[in-house]
């Protein structure tokens, strides 16, 4: 069956896009900016997005003296002749045309980036479900087919999938202003990663949003990852020893774990001056080695002054550093000296394919978050480097580590221009892809993230951004900035995103998938869904009786 024709190509260029004159029956209000469209050339079918819509008139008198009080019939006549609309289309992908009655997708021949454009009068036709399957794939309960339905186009009820395997190959950014649903979107992505078993994740959950049920802004209660997948697949660790239920263990940090880079990361939170802090730490490291933090905090005021005289340092500056670092000693989860027991447990869970959520409980300040996340991630980085080096030597699949995705909120604090080269997260974003470790950074201020780090992001998912600097930052390193910018600026404030980059064949606007009972049932009904452990069985018995 022939497709409904929406317009015809009348001009354009490869670089700037094509001009399509819309048919008289097509209302411009049904052609939103950013919508998915299909063009049929002589040999190829092209897939693209609407960049702009313009109104034209063949008779200038219509614009100088517009007719008034026209009947609906007269309006239809003029709109089809003297007045018309032009849609500007930017093709992104192309594939050889199939007969109209053939809808089977050849997965061996996916659409490829455009290398040419169609001739004059090529038709713009209505998009069908099979077009979306051809471009974005479809969700199946198949380990070799890791596509996950992330949402639907703004004007259609068709699933658009993201390739989770490609998503975890490179770091990902989730951006959006406050209230755009970044945390729920992140939870949705993590659910897909767990469900499809494409990677293992480590979530630094600063505000306790990912493990257990939370209430949304609309008042609904939504399940956490532990609730949805069970304790057999999701482990929870906490810094807060008062939180003893529904956790697998508590994390303790020793002063012997803290390195100079950790303190430099905390400069803003501790109120330490830049420049002199680096100098003071260097003097302490030369004097006491790796145990400088413990040795320094053991000094009293007179000993600090004597040390300053010894090394030629500034006594006042060292005393200020000593006072500020005392804040760390007052944390109940920080001890004088301890092993890596809990952190090693976390590493064992990750190695075994179990996802881990680190909660902070009452220690939910940015200082706690920055310190603990940096220390744990540094340990993980060392372990993964060792494992990959072993795999390269043995070439045994059993030695190949499972891809790891580390979820970091408030990412601009770790990855700002001044800190990106000092934190372990900057190293991961730049270098750790070859060691199967990537980041999923969640932030409302992408303009605070170093440009080099932004350019390393493979996939970006962005809700509405109100600040022009944030909008420019999200587009750092993007080839077709004009197209994506037009899509971003037309988003609603909630449940709408633009997805573009490595895991998405072409930029697309979506209404994100609802994280609700329907989704829970789909996950639980999967043949590859979570297994039931003892605690899950007990909970089920409680529900029944």
């Amino acid at each position: 069956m022939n497709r409904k024709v929406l317009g015809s190509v009348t001009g354009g260029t490869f670089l700037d896009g094509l001009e399509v004159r819309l048919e008289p029956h097509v209302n411009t209000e049904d052609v939103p900016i950013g919508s998915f469209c299909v063009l049929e050339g002589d040999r190829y079918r092209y897939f693209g997005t609407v960049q702009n819509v313009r109104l034209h008139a063949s008779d200038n008198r219509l614009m100088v003296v517009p007719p008034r009080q026209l009947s609906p019939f007269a309006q239809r006549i003029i709109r089809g002749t003297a007045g018309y609309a032009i849609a500007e289309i930017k093709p992104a992908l192309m594939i050889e045309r199939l007969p109209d009655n053939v809808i089977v997708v050849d997965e061996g021949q996916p659409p490829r980036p455009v290398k040419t454009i169609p001739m004059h009068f090529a038709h713009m036709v209505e998009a069908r479900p099979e077009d979306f399957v051809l471009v974005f794939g479809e969700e199946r309960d198949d380990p070799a087919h890791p596509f996950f339905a992330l949402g639907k186009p703004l004007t259609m009820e068709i699933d658009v999938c993201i390739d989770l395997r490609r998503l975890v190959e490179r770091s990902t950014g989730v951006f959006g202003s406050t209230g755009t649903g970044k945390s729920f979107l992140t939870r949705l992505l993590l659910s897909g990663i767990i469900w499809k078993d494409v990677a293992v994740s480590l979530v630094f959950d600063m505000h306790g949003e990912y493990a257990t049920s939370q209430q949304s802004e609309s008042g609904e209660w939504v399940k956490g990852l532990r609730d949805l997948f069970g304790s057999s697949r999701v482990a929870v660790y906490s810094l807060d020893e008062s939180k003893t239920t529904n956790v697998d263990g508590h994390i303790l940090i020793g002063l012997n774990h803290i390195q100079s880079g950790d303190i430099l990361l905390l400069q803003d939170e501790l109120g330490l001056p830049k420049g002199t802090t680096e100098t003071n730490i260097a003097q302490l490291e030369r004097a006491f080695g790796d145990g400088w933090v413990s040795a320094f905090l053991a000094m009293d005021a007179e000993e600090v002054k004597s040390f300053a005289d010894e090394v030629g340092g500034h006594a006042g500056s060292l005393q200020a550093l000593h006072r500020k670092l005392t804040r760390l000693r007052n944390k109940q989860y920080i001890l004088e000296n301890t092993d890596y027991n809990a952190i090693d447990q976390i590493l064992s869970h990750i190695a075994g394919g179990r996802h881990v959520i680190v909660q902070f409980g009452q220690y939910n300040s940015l200082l706690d978050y920055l310190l603990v996340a940096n220390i744990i991630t540094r340990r993980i980085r060392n372990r993964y480097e060792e494992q990959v080096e072993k795999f390269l030597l043995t070439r045994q699949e059993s030695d190949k580590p499972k891809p790891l995705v580390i979820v970091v909120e408030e990412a601009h604090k770790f990855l700002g221009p001044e800190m990106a080269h000092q934190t372990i997260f900057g190293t991961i974003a730049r270098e750790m892809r070859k060691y199967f470790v990537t980041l999923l950074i969640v932030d409302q201020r992408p303009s605070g993230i170093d440009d080099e780090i932004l350019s390393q992001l493979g996939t970006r998912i962005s809700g509405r951004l109100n600040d022009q600097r944030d909008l420019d930052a999200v587009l750092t390193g993007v080839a077709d900035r004009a197209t994506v910018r037009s899509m971003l600026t037309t988003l609603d404030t909630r449940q709408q995103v633009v997805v573009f980059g490595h895991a998405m064949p072409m930029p697309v606007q979506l209404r994100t998938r609802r994280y609700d009972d329907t989704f829970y049932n789909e996950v639980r009904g999967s043949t590859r869904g979570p297994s039931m452990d003892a605690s899950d069985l007990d909970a089920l018995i409680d529900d029944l009786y």
Side-chain angles (χ1 to χ4, degrees), residues 347 350 376-394 399-402 404 406 423-438:
L347 289 170
I350 290 172
I376 294 177
T377 306
R378 184 171 60 240
R379 182 86 168 168
I380 288 173
R381 174 219 178 176
N382 294 337
R383 181 70 63 87
Y384 260 76
E385 287 182 346
E386 292 171 2
Q387 188 66 35
V388 170
E389 288 169 2
K390 179 181 179 182
F391 167 66
L392 293 176
L393 286 174
T394 65
D399 292 328
K400 184 178 180 179
K402 197 176 185 83
L404 171 64
I406 301 176
T423 67
I424 186 61
F425 295 99
T427 302
I428 290 173
R430 292 189 305 270
E431 304 171 10
M432 290 297 288
R433 181 167 61 93
K434 60 186 176 184
Y435 294 105
F436 306 103
V437 181
T438 57

Side-chain angles (χ1 to χ4, degrees), residues 7 37 47 49 55 81 86 112 149 184 201 235 253 257 259 290 293 312 325 351 359 388 429 439 536:
C37 59
F47 306 99
T49 53
L55 299 177
T81 54
I86 295 289
R112 61 183 187 272
F184 281 95
S201 59
I253 300 294
H257 296 166
Q259 298 181 5
D290 292 340
V293 178
L325 292 184
Q359 294 184 330
V388 170
L439 299 178
D536 298 324

Side-chain angles (χ1 to χ4, degrees), residues 59 62 143 149 207 236 291 301 343 357 369 487 516:
D59 189 335
L62 287 175
H207 303 295
V236 179
I343 298 177
I357 298 174
Y369 186 72
M487 298 168 76
D516 55 13

Side-chain angles (χ1 to χ4, degrees), residues 167-168 170-174 182-191 193-194 199-207 209-211 225 350 355-360 369-370 372-374 376-377 380 403-412 414-415 425 428 437-443:
L167 182 80
V168 302
R170 300 182 183 178
S171 292
T172 301
V174 176
K182 296 185 296 299
S183 295
F184 281 95
L185 176 58
T186 304
R187 192 181 308 192
L188 187 66
L189 285 172
L190 289 171
S191 297
I193 289 172
I194 299 172
V200 65
S201 59
L202 170 64
V203 183
F204 291 108
D205 188 2
M206 185 175 181
H207 303 295
E209 297 177 310
Y210 296 101
L225 299 177
I350 290 172
H355 304 259
V356 177
I357 298 174
V358 176
Q359 294 184 330
F360 291 78
Y369 186 72
L370 294 173
V372 174
N374 208 49
I376 294 177
T377 306
I380 288 173
L404 171 64
V405 177
I406 301 176
V407 180
V408 185
E409 297 180 293
E410 300 289 345
H412 64 275
F414 295 94
L415 300 170
F425 295 99
I428 290 173
V437 181
T438 57
L439 299 178
L440 197 167
I441 61 178
V442 185
D443 207 290

